[in-house]
Amino acid sequence: MSDRRPAPPDDLPPALVDALDDYSPTLLRAVASYAEALATHREQTDESRERDDSPAAGGDRPESVPAKATLTVKEINDNRYYYWQWREGDKVKSKYEGPAGDDS
């Protein structure tokens, strides 16, 4: 195995990458196992199809937002909002998308 640290996929939210960086190998393997099981579950349910078809799933990315950006939900004063987020070097950039519905 290489001594080089693996690069995260461009489409992972920066906050997730930062959190995973602090996890032990045991916890990282548990997260990977859970993520695989969750992905399988969502593929087998109608819920995932509804999410993929929603505007919040990223179908309407503004031109000013790079392709590597991900859509995240932020809660501000008990209200939820969609923001596009991406990294530019060491900085995390954000662009407001709109209010998030109750299903997010």
Side-chain angles (χ1 to χ4, degrees), residues 4-95:
R4 285 186 63 199
R5 180 187 182 110
D10 288 339
D11 57 349
L12 278 185
L16 179 58
V17 172
D18 292 343
L20 291 173
D21 281 344
D22 294 334
Y23 289 0
S24 69
T26 301
L27 189 52
L28 285 170
R29 286 185 180 92
V31 168
S33 176
Y34 170 71
E36 185 62 37
L38 183 59
T40 299
H41 170 74
R42 287 200 178 158
E43 288 170 344
Q44 296 171 350
T45 64
D46 291 339
E47 180 180 304
S48 68
R49 282 186 222 109
E50 291 172 5
R51 284 187 185 150
D52 290 345
D53 293 340
S54 72
D60 296 329
R61 183 183 318 267
E63 283 187 28
S64 62
V65 173
K68 65 183 178 180
T70 57
L71 197 59
T72 60
V73 177
K74 292 185 180 184
E75 188 166 330
I76 303 170
N77 297 329
D78 295 326
N79 295 304
R80 296 164 50 94
Y81 302 96
Y82 287 118
Y83 282 86
W84 291 101
Q85 288 189 321
W86 65 97
R87 282 189 184 273
E88 287 184 6
D90 292 336
K91 294 184 178 180
V92 176
K93 301 286 188 161
S94 296
K95 180 173 178 70

